[in-house]
Amino acid sequence: MFLQFWDTPPTNFALNNHKKKSFSKKVIFLQINRSVKPKTVELYMKKYILGIFAIAVISACTSQQDKAMKSADKTFILKAANENFAKKKWKNALALYDRLPNLVAGTDDAPNVVFNSAYANYYDKNYKLAGHQFKNFAVSFPQDNRREEASYMSALCYYNGSMDYNLDQSSTELAINELQDFLTNYPNSERSKNINTLIDELSYKLELKAYENAKQYYKMANYKSTDVAFENVLEDFPSTKLRPKIYDYMMKSRYLLAQNSVYELKDERIESALSFTRLVEKELPDTEYSKTAIDLREKLEKEKKDFVVVKKQTEERIAILTAKQKKMVEKMAEDSKTEKQIKEQVSNEKQAMQIQRDSAALQTPPPAATFRIQR
């Protein structure tokens, strides 16, 4: 068996001119020698025929899509769009549905166009656009019996469009609001049963985002900010499942803050860390976190005792230095007083001498009169 290629097919396989345009310029033909079994020949012939049929179908579909895109006939465009929708060719369907709103406005076909277009975008994973279209359908066609389904799908689109926790979470917050709105508007709907589950899932993303942001402070050794950030997480999400891990980070950050604290705040921060280890042991008994709490508390108790000694020694040194400083001040004051007295004495002596000079000047008589002798 061998393959033989022709640039143009033999005359007995000639194709009509209008069919040639649907195929590639080169056609591969299989020539089989006499030693090949008939079944093998039949198999290859079937594959060849199926290939030609597939090319013909694709060509026909492409031709119909092109005609619909160029056509101004509303019925023809709508039919082609619905066929593409039924065949799950979402992009082709959307390309045609986008041409229909103005053509079907005010007709009975308008709701179906909006509804199908929304679903096509949903299946094509254009969740933001699909959510907007479903919401628009629910508002524009309040009497349609698919309004509840559209409201649910709108909320579901926002849910699917929620970004990963490490990205911007504005889409997640919007999705939670949409889901809660559906729950409020349709509390008895069958579709409401899983809404709370979806809301919990989205809320966890927000918790995880806040949790990871707080962790960054810990990694940067900014322990004071770590404690504040985790307290905010607990305040914003009181029922968070991350509470044990948050407690662990808060406990460690308070411990490290106490260890590296300035002298004036050391006592206060040691007590704060000790208090938190007791809280962790109480809230999370028989866990790895309670074991860590016990271990850190032992270290903090030792730190506290050591600091008492350091504090006593420091106070003694401060007392000695204060006494020395006081003596120096007194001596300086005494020296300053003596210097002042000397200055006053000198000043007084100068004033006395000046008075004597002034008095002598007053007591001295004026010189006698003199006459010029004429020559």
Side-chain angles (χ1 to χ4, degrees):
M1 181 176 63
F2 59 91
L3 292 175
Q4 184 174 352
F5 299 87
W6 288 275
D7 288 336
T8 56
T11 55
N12 58 331
F13 286 100
L15 299 172
N16 294 329
N17 289 333
H18 69 279
K19 289 185 179 180
K20 284 183 181 180
K21 295 179 182 179
S22 305
F23 303 105
S24 59
K25 292 181 179 179
K26 286 190 176 183
V27 182
I28 302 175
F29 290 86
L30 181 66
Q31 184 177 8
I32 305 169
N33 61 22
R34 296 179 181 177
S35 63
V36 179
K37 296 179 181 180
K39 288 185 179 180
T40 305
V41 176
E42 184 180 354
L43 178 63
Y44 277 98
M45 288 301 293
K46 282 181 179 180
K47 288 184 178 179
Y48 178 72
I49 292 169
L50 286 173
I52 293 176
F53 179 74
I55 293 171
V57 169
I58 292 171
S59 177
C61 291
T62 303
S63 177
Q64 185 181 22
Q65 180 74 9
D66 290 340
K67 287 179 181 178
M69 288 296 294
K70 296 174 183 177
S71 174
D73 184 353
K74 176 196 74 173
T75 304
F76 180 67
I77 298 171
L78 184 59
K79 181 183 177 183
N82 290 337
E83 286 177 358
N84 282 325
F85 185 86
K87 294 175 182 177
K88 300 182 180 180
K89 296 180 179 180
W90 312 121
K91 293 188 185 301
N92 287 348
L94 285 169
L96 296 175
Y97 281 134
D98 286 345
R99 300 194 63 230
L100 286 168
N102 292 333
L103 298 176
V104 300
T107 69
D108 293 338
D109 293 321
N112 291 333
V113 169
V114 177
F115 197 74
N116 286 1
S117 182
Y119 260 115
N121 273 308
Y122 173 77
Y123 290 127
D124 202 38
K125 298 183 179 180
N126 302 319
Y127 297 121
K128 189 174 182 179
L129 180 56
H132 174 74
Q133 289 176 328
F134 277 121
K135 195 169 186 177
N136 182 48
F137 178 90
V139 173
S140 302
F141 308 103
Q143 304 303 321
D144 196 292
N145 57 9
R146 295 170 292 182
R147 184 188 182 193
E148 180 187 321
E149 180 183 354
S151 297
Y152 175 77
M153 288 303 301
S154 175
L156 193 62
C157 285
Y158 285 109
Y159 163 80
N160 285 321
S162 171
M163 306 292 283
D164 290 339
Y165 80 91
N166 56 334
L167 301 175
D168 178 60
Q169 290 302 294
S170 56
S171 60
T172 302
E173 293 171 354
L174 181 60
I176 291 174
N177 291 335
E178 291 293 328
L179 289 167
Q180 287 176 336
D181 285 345
F182 180 82
L183 200 59
T184 302
N185 295 328
Y186 303 97
N188 300 320
S189 171
E190 285 293 319
R191 296 183 176 91
S192 295
K193 292 181 178 179
N194 71 327
I195 293 293
N196 285 326
T197 303
L198 298 181
I199 290 175
D200 289 343
E201 184 180 334
L202 293 173
S203 295
Y204 181 73
K205 278 188 182 182
L206 299 180
E207 294 172 22
L208 192 58
K209 175 80 171 181
Y211 169 80
E212 290 295 333
N213 287 343
K215 265 176 62 176
Q216 295 304 314
Y217 289 112
Y218 184 84
K219 290 179 180 179
M220 293 186 294
N222 191 343
Y223 303 120
K224 189 175 180 180
S225 296
T226 300
D227 197 55
V228 172
F230 277 122
E231 281 182 351
N232 290 337
V233 176
L234 292 175
E235 185 177 345
D236 294 338
F237 308 99
S239 58
T240 178
K241 296 177 182 177
L242 297 169
R243 184 176 290 273
K245 292 183 178 180
I246 291 174
Y247 275 177
D248 188 49
Y249 275 109
M250 290 180 71
M251 179 171 60
K252 289 175 180 176
S253 65
R254 292 193 184 195
Y255 166 74
L256 292 169
L257 185 63
Q259 264 199 336
N260 300 286
S261 178
V262 294
Y263 178 84
E264 292 79 4
L265 300 174
K266 188 85 170 177
D267 268 334
E268 178 187 339
R269 287 174 175 173
I270 287 176
E271 289 301 329
S272 175
L274 283 169
S275 177
F276 204 83
T277 59
R278 297 186 192 99
L279 173 66
V280 172
E281 191 177 3
K282 180 182 177 182
E283 295 285 335
L284 306 169
D286 302 323
T287 63
E288 58 178 307
Y289 306 111
S290 63
K291 293 177 182 178
T292 303
I294 294 169
D295 180 55
L296 292 181
R297 186 160 65 248
E298 290 175 357
K299 293 178 181 178
L300 285 165
E301 291 289 359
K302 183 178 182 303
E303 183 87 8
K304 184 178 179 180
K305 290 178 181 178
D306 292 343
F307 184 65
V308 169
V309 175
V310 171
K311 189 176 180 182
K312 184 178 179 181
Q313 293 173 348
T314 304
E315 288 174 352
E316 289 174 354
R317 289 197 191 101
I318 290 172
I320 293 170
L321 290 171
T322 303
K324 285 183 178 180
Q325 189 176 14
K326 186 178 179 182
K327 288 181 179 180
M328 287 178 65
V329 170
E330 290 174 352
K331 187 175 182 304
M332 287 174 66
E334 186 177 347
D335 292 344
S336 176
K337 184 178 179 182
T338 303
E339 185 179 353
K340 185 178 180 182
Q341 289 174 347
I342 292 171
K343 286 181 178 179
E344 288 178 355
Q345 185 178 353
V346 170
S347 177
N348 291 336
E349 288 177 355
K350 286 181 178 181
Q351 289 178 1
M353 290 177 67
Q354 184 63 39
I355 291 170
Q356 288 178 359
R357 283 196 295 268
D358 293 342
S359 177
L362 291 172
Q363 293 174 3
T364 302
T370 57
F371 298 94
R372 180 177 295 179
I373 299 173
Q374 293 184 354
R375 292 184 182 182

